[in-house]
Amino acid sequence: MASRPRRSAFVSQEIEPKWQKVWAERGVMKASDSSPKPKYYDLVMYPYPSGDLTVGHARNYVMGDVLARMKRMQGFEVLHPFGWDAFGLPAENAAMKRGGGLHPAKWTRDNIAKATRELKMMGILYDWDREVTSSEPDYYRWTQWLFLLMYERGLAYRAMAPVNWCPVDKTVLANEQVINGRCWRHPDVEVEKRDLEQWFLKITDYADRLLDDLALLDKWPQKVRVMQTNWIGRSMGAEADFAVDGMPGDSIRIYTTRPDTLFGATFMVLAPEHPLVERVTSEKHRARVREYVEKARKETEIERLSTEREKTGVATGGFAINPVNGEKIPIWVADYVLVTYGTGAIMAVPAHDERDFEFAQRYDLPIRQVIAPPSGPQVRLREAYVGPGTMVNSGEFNGLDSAIAFERICDSLEAKGVGKRAVKYRLRDWLISRQRYWGAPIPVVYCPTDGIVPVPREDLPVLLPEEYRPLPEVESFWKTTCPKCGGPARRETDTMDTFIDSSWYFLRYASPHDNAEPFDSELANHWMPVDQYTGGVEHAILHLLYSRFFIKVLYDAGLLAVTEPFVRLFNQGMVKRFGQVMSKSAGNGVSIDELAGAQGADAGRIYEMFIGPPEEDVEWTDAGLNGVVKFLQRVWRLVLEAQSIAAEAGQAGATVDASGLRRKVAQTVGKVTEHFDELRFNTAVAFLMELANAMQDYLRSGGARDAEWDEHVRTLVKLLNPLAPHLGEEMWERLGEKGMLADASWPAFDAALAAEPKVVLVVQVAGKLRDRLEVDAGLPEAEAVRLALASDKVRAALDGRGPSKVVYVPDRLINLVP
RNA sequence: GUCGGCGUGGCGGAAUGGCAGACGCGCCAGCCUUAGGAGCUGGUGCCCGAAAGGGCGUGGAGGUUCAAAUCCUCUCGCCGACACCA
């Protein structure tokens, strides 16, 4: 920075802190609960406070800020809050690394202070009066309150179950936190299965609504809706009871999505853990079955679930009776059947199921076709036929279309009382217990007399002990008395999954200081739903599914009037540098201090918006950033030193037609507004660059700096403001404006001003471009044809042939087809 | 394996049926300057051509259409999600 520019230039280090201070003092982004203006709730996912921010983290906060600033100028009462998802393991790990010397609370608060300062340095405005921190008692008190609500509504229960255990974090995990059998936080660590008694939330009660209401979320990325649909995994089918041969009273219930293939069942398969395995096994087979079951139990989840390996199983020697035709079929045990899904037992129809087919081939089991494809019945199947067709080998149902037979066979099962239609889900209940210190304690007490007793609401919060130590080791924490009988009792020492904290934080922003309830229903109903929600796609299932669930429960409890929390969802891409996601630990981060100290926050903000489509990952380069700096310096001179630019061209005083620029300004207002609204920031920046170029050209060609010019300059500054707010305010002030630019009104789009009187009409002959004609807008077709035929180039291309067909798109193109 | 997304100049990317390459980076030439990592002017998809002009061109092959980067079919490549859910 030693060299001195010849022309005057702004110095970001001087103007940025100046305006940040003014915004803070005036509380520019404070949201009023009682404003007559229409509300706009603009939210970014609250982050885990892991330390210093990089410009990479800042990208989605800038997106939120650009939208918030424009919406304010457009006359909305904008709620743009911020907070911290502050409970979680990194704080504990940091504490452990230093031998417990650094308390997680201290570590968390220090990190929050650093990140807050950096957000402010980026010029990002929030209503900091509404800041929430999930690890503070005045927040987690209400997280506990909501747990009690779940408990009262029968949605929180304690059960013994085989659960996922992360050996590194030493805690259990929810299904959603297990990815390919590995911990979501440690991609190289396999989770273990443990049988433990844990707390669950009954999200499966809401499976249908969570699935069906996805149809309402038309402003969510399709990708996320598909992922949630698959995760919930609803399937429609039937359950049927197969009697066990020689064991009256015993039957095996199976679930199938293909009741139309019931006549094709040639064997049954039980999961190794199925409770009837021992009973149906014959003495002759017992040793082998036990050995197989034992082996399956020892295998890891990853091995069990691999689709690569060959299917294995053993016959039990037992037989079942097919309820539709009385046929006796062998019962096998195989680990490709999961005890956790459906009924843990299946009827195997190898002719019409790929997995059963593979298994039947390997163990030489019979394959019977019961559905003939439209191409006609095949003599020998080479692979399972899973499509629809005509029923064969199916008794009274022969000849029916398989879709009709599906219904008829269900009717028949129901009439005979041996089965019924059934719906199943992949979604499991949400395991929320965590064996960790740094989380919200689950507010229940175990009493020898009264069993599970919830902590009364007036006794909340159940505070974490001051000292950082595993809770089961802190006697003063768990040793308590029963709220019911007063006798000695033991407090629950597990804390809640941090995804509970984040399932309702956006409600707390509506009434962050309410000390009587988690949120004020009236205020929450005023601000909700969130109009724009921005965050990473990694929460496509986890946080976004859990939050939807919470909202539906609160709706049912009469505490909230909305059934979906987020109207429009946007997943931003990540910022990379040297090919890797930018992060402090990877050593490729650009810090906000570095940025602000060199090119400035405004340049960084615009660059992050201009660098590429907002949903794509982008590569940060210093050269690209410098291009934006040049643009801003050019705007600065354009706005404040128009004279020098005109003088430079040596034509000051000449007169040029101002109507072209007038149109350009009007068009830019329309396009920039639309593209900001649609979060297409990269193209919005491009339009502003075009406008600045056009204004510069106007001056250079001798355009007058009259009252209209002054208007154009103010329009440019306003349009630029959401992107470069510091520079905007500085220019606004120097233009002699009294109020704050942040409070100025957004330019209105004037379609009449933007309309082009003359258009370039493309002339094609047989679809090939032959000429361009400048014509009046709205030219009638006959006139367009006449003008086109008058062109030498067109006549040459037609080569004497008359056009037999004319396609005319007014103001765009005319295509003459010989 | 299944589902989804993406594939456009040297680079980031525009254009969602109607002029391919907006805007920017980079590069080339020139101007200005004591100096340039500043500013300004012009150029910049590829091929032929001195130019005028012409031809080709959005991973590949087909198709629909007066017209395709855009819609359809197949195919290749990259990325993501799910992965024995009966």
Side-chain angles (χ1 to χ4, degrees):
Chain A
M1 301 301 118
S3 65
R4 161 183 284 265
R6 189 159 59 98
R7 261 175 267 269
S8 81
F10 68 88
V11 179
S12 58
Q13 291 75 17
E14 286 165 13
I15 67 174
E16 290 181 353
K18 167 180 163 188
W19 291 105
Q20 284 158 16
K21 195 161 160 257
V22 173
W23 293 327
E25 281 165 6
R26 303 211 187 167
V28 165
M29 200 50 82
K30 285 206 198 318
S32 161
D33 292 325
S34 57
S35 166
K37 298 177 188 173
K39 70 97 184 180
Y40 191 90
Y41 191 171
D42 177 18
L43 186 66
V44 289
M45 290 182 188
Y46 78 158
Y48 184 79
S50 57
D52 286 298
L53 297 178
T54 67
V55 294
H57 300 111
R59 187 168 182 231
N60 65 324
Y61 305 134
V62 172
M63 291 179 191
D65 192 56
V66 170
L67 195 64
R69 286 173 179 272
M70 178 175 81
K71 287 290 162 191
R72 271 191 90 253
M73 291 174 78
Q74 284 179 329
F76 289 89
E77 187 65 32
V78 173
L79 177 58
H80 192 219
F82 204 75
W84 309 95
D85 186 15
F87 270 138
L89 277 168
E92 273 189 73
N93 292 339
M96 271 185 289
K97 248 183 221 158
R98 307 198 199 170
L102 180 65
H103 195 276
K106 163 99 172 100
W107 184 83
T108 302
R109 287 182 191 141
D110 288 351
N111 284 342
I112 288 174
K114 285 187 213 169
T116 302
R117 179 185 143 267
E118 287 159 339
L119 289 167
K120 289 178 177 171
M121 281 177 79
M122 284 300 286
I124 296 164
L125 298 183
Y126 295 112
D127 183 348
W128 287 104
D129 290 351
R130 295 175 186 259
E131 180 179 9
V132 303
T133 302
S134 66
S135 60
E136 294 293 337
D138 66 359
Y139 183 90
Y140 72 72
R141 171 183 183 184
W142 304 116
T143 306
Q144 292 169 336
W145 191 101
L146 291 167
F147 173 89
L148 295 178
L149 179 80
M150 292 276 181
Y151 184 77
E152 286 158 8
R153 299 184 66 80
L155 294 168
Y157 66 95
R158 197 166 156 81
M160 177 66 91
V163 297
N164 304 299
W165 172 269
C166 173
V168 174
D169 288 345
K170 297 194 170 41
T171 184
V172 298
L173 301 168
N175 286 320
E176 289 78 9
Q177 293 160 355
V178 179
I179 295 154
N180 290 328
R182 297 180 167 88
C183 174
W184 67 308
R185 298 173 42 81
H186 310 98
D188 47 348
V189 176
E190 287 186 24
V191 301
E192 298 164 11
K193 281 284 176 194
R194 291 196 177 183
D195 288 317
L196 290 171
E197 200 174 313
Q198 299 282 299
W199 282 98
F200 292 85
L201 292 188
K202 232 174 179 175
I203 192 171
T204 53
D205 273 10
Y206 284 75
D208 278 323
R209 284 161 69 187
L210 288 168
L211 184 65
D212 295 340
D213 285 357
L214 284 172
L216 306 172
L217 304 177
D218 58 327
K219 288 174 184 161
W220 279 37
Q222 192 209 337
K223 180 182 169 176
V224 174
R225 286 185 295 166
V226 168
M227 284 169 73
Q228 292 209 356
T229 301
N230 294 339
W231 186 261
I232 295 166
R234 180 165 70 191
S235 72
M236 312 278 196
E239 288 183 349
D241 293 323
F242 281 58
V244 181
D245 187 43
M247 295 171 63
D250 267 322
S251 67
I252 299 169
R253 174 159 292 187
I254 60 99
Y255 171 71
T256 179
T257 55
R258 294 296 302 275
D260 50 326
T261 64
L262 248 168
F263 285 84
T266 53
F267 59 101
M268 296 195 75
V269 185
L270 303 184
E273 301 87 348
H274 194 281
L276 284 177
V277 169
E278 275 290 314
R279 284 172 65 81
V280 302
T281 301
S282 71
E283 283 316 312
K284 195 176 139 214
H285 293 78
R286 194 167 301 279
R288 285 189 56 206
V289 168
R290 281 191 177 159
E291 187 193 345
Y292 183 80
V293 168
E294 212 33 57
K295 198 180 112 234
R297 216 184 274 281
K298 279 197 191 125
E299 283 183 334
T300 68
E301 196 81 343
I302 294 179
E303 289 163 341
R304 278 286 295 269
L305 291 176
S306 168
T307 49
E308 315 285 287
R309 67 176 191 163
E310 273 202 78
K311 299 191 185 344
T312 60
V314 290
T316 62
F319 287 84
I321 311 294
N322 188 330
V324 290
N325 58 8
E327 201 175 352
K328 221 171 109 175
I329 55 175
I331 304 170
W332 284 63
V333 173
D335 66 3
Y336 79 92
V337 173
L338 308 175
V339 74
T340 47
Y341 183 78
T343 59
I346 61 159
M347 64 166 187
V349 185
H352 304 291
D353 182 279
E354 285 163 19
R355 298 150 301 183
D356 298 343
F357 186 86
E358 186 193 327
F359 194 79
Q361 291 237 302
R362 177 166 170 146
Y363 292 103
D364 214 15
L365 290 158
I367 297 171
R368 184 198 305 139
Q369 193 176 4
V370 292
I371 292 178
S375 55
Q378 291 147 287
V379 181
R380 170 167 270 140
L381 284 170
R382 294 180 58 202
E383 57 181 5
Y385 175 70
V386 298
T390 307
M391 303 294 290
V392 294
N393 298 322
S394 298
E396 58 184 295
F397 302 99
N398 281 341
L400 286 177
D401 182 84
S402 57
I404 292 164
F406 183 109
E407 300 301 333
R408 296 275 176 84
I409 291 176
C410 287
D411 292 341
S412 162
L413 288 171
E414 282 167 6
K416 289 192 219 156
V418 292
K420 57 173 198 289
R421 288 176 172 82
V423 180
K424 299 284 176 201
Y425 306 89
R426 270 189 34 151
L427 181 70
R428 304 291 150 74
D429 278 339
W430 176 11
L431 197 174
I432 59 158
S433 304
R434 294 293 180 275
Q435 291 71 47
R436 306 299 316 184
Y437 168 85
W438 195 231
I442 296 173
V444 295
V445 162
Y446 302 103
C447 169
T449 313
D450 297 306
I452 295 173
V453 181
V455 173
R457 284 199 160 85
E458 58 272 21
D459 293 346
L460 297 180
V462 175
L463 284 172
L464 286 169
E466 295 270 315
E467 189 190 358
Y468 168 57
R469 255 169 72 198
L471 296 180
E473 294 173 18
V474 185
E475 194 182 284
S476 61
F477 176 78
W478 57 256
K479 200 169 175 184
T480 185
T481 53
C482 171
K484 241 186 207 169
C485 68
R490 187 183 170 92
R491 193 183 287 289
E492 168 70 65
T493 52
D494 282 351
T495 52
M496 283 185 254
D497 183 0
T498 56
F499 279 100
I500 305 250
D501 310 338
S502 55
S503 292
W504 72 281
Y505 77 102
F506 44 88
L507 300 173
R508 186 69 182 168
Y509 287 137
S511 52
H513 309 294
D514 192 329
N515 53 22
E517 56 200 340
F519 56 90
D520 179 303
S521 292
E522 204 177 307
L523 289 174
N525 287 335
H526 169 66
W527 290 110
M528 289 293 288
V530 172
D531 295 282
Q532 171 64 45
Y533 197 29
T534 307
V537 74
E538 65 274 16
H539 290 118
I541 292 173
L542 292 155
H543 163 57
L544 292 169
L545 190 67
Y546 296 148
S547 296
R548 295 182 59 224
F549 164 56
F550 258 63
I551 291 303
K552 289 178 194 305
V553 173
L554 292 169
Y555 174 85
D556 289 351
L559 296 173
L560 207 56
V562 297
T563 56
E564 283 291 337
F566 313 122
V567 173
R568 189 165 77 165
L569 175 70
F570 183 77
N571 300 125
Q572 84 282 356
M574 289 179 292
V575 179
K576 298 181 166 189
R577 194 168 176 228
F578 311 132
Q580 272 194 310
V581 174
M582 201 186 269
S583 77
K584 214 175 75 173
S585 57
N588 63 344
V590 174
S591 78
I592 287 168
D593 278 304
E594 267 174 79
L595 173 72
Q599 295 90 345
D602 278 337
R605 288 169 63 107
I606 298 196
Y607 178 53
E608 293 201 293
M609 298 300 96
F610 184 58
I611 188 169
E615 69 279 10
E616 299 286 331
D617 290 353
V618 293
E619 176 77 18
W620 177 280
T621 65
D622 294 343
L625 179 59
N626 288 335
V628 172
V629 173
K630 282 201 283 189
F631 164 65
L632 288 179
Q633 296 288 7
R634 222 161 50 229
V635 169
W636 175 266
R637 291 198 304 273
L638 193 61
V639 168
L640 300 173
E641 298 171 38
Q643 194 146 11
S644 73
I645 292 178
E648 184 178 79
Q651 293 174 30
T655 54
V656 294
D657 178 23
S659 65
L661 185 60
R662 191 179 305 143
R663 273 196 301 280
K664 184 75 183 175
V665 172
Q667 289 162 359
T668 305
V669 168
K671 287 193 288 187
V672 168
T673 306
E674 188 188 328
H675 283 233
F676 275 166
D677 259 323
E678 291 170 7
L679 311 179
R680 295 163 71 187
F681 303 107
N682 55 327
T683 43
V685 174
F687 298 140
L688 287 167
M689 288 174 166
E690 278 188 56
L691 177 60
N693 291 345
M695 289 174 74
Q696 202 168 23
D697 289 346
Y698 168 82
L699 282 190
R700 291 230 168 83
S701 62
R705 286 173 290 110
D706 51 12
E708 191 181 351
W709 167 261
D710 288 344
E711 260 323 291
H712 293 337
V713 163
R714 280 158 179 76
T715 301
L716 173 65
V717 171
K718 285 178 177 180
L719 293 178
L720 194 63
N721 183 52
L723 295 161
H726 310 90
L727 192 65
E729 294 286 2
E730 184 70 22
M731 291 190 294
W732 196 245
E733 186 182 64
R734 291 188 187 215
L735 283 169
E737 295 291 338
K738 294 289 172 256
M740 301 218 45
L741 177 58
D743 296 328
S745 64
W746 190 252
F749 175 59
D750 185 333
L753 270 183
E756 293 280 357
K758 288 271 188 183
V759 295
V760 173
L761 190 69
V762 169
V763 186
Q764 294 181 338
V765 174
K768 278 195 174 282
L769 175 72
R770 293 302 174 188
D771 203 0
R772 294 187 174 91
L773 304 171
E774 195 183 6
V775 302
D776 293 336
L779 189 73
E781 175 166 342
E783 191 63 8
V785 172
R786 193 185 64 76
L787 287 171
L789 289 174
S791 154
D792 290 344
K793 292 173 189 168
V794 171
R795 277 211 302 274
L798 278 171
D799 199 21
R801 300 163 297 178
S804 65
K805 179 171 181 178
V806 174
V807 181
Y808 182 52
V809 183
D811 298 348
R812 301 211 72 136
L813 129 165
I814 182 163
N815 189 4
L816 306 174
V817 186

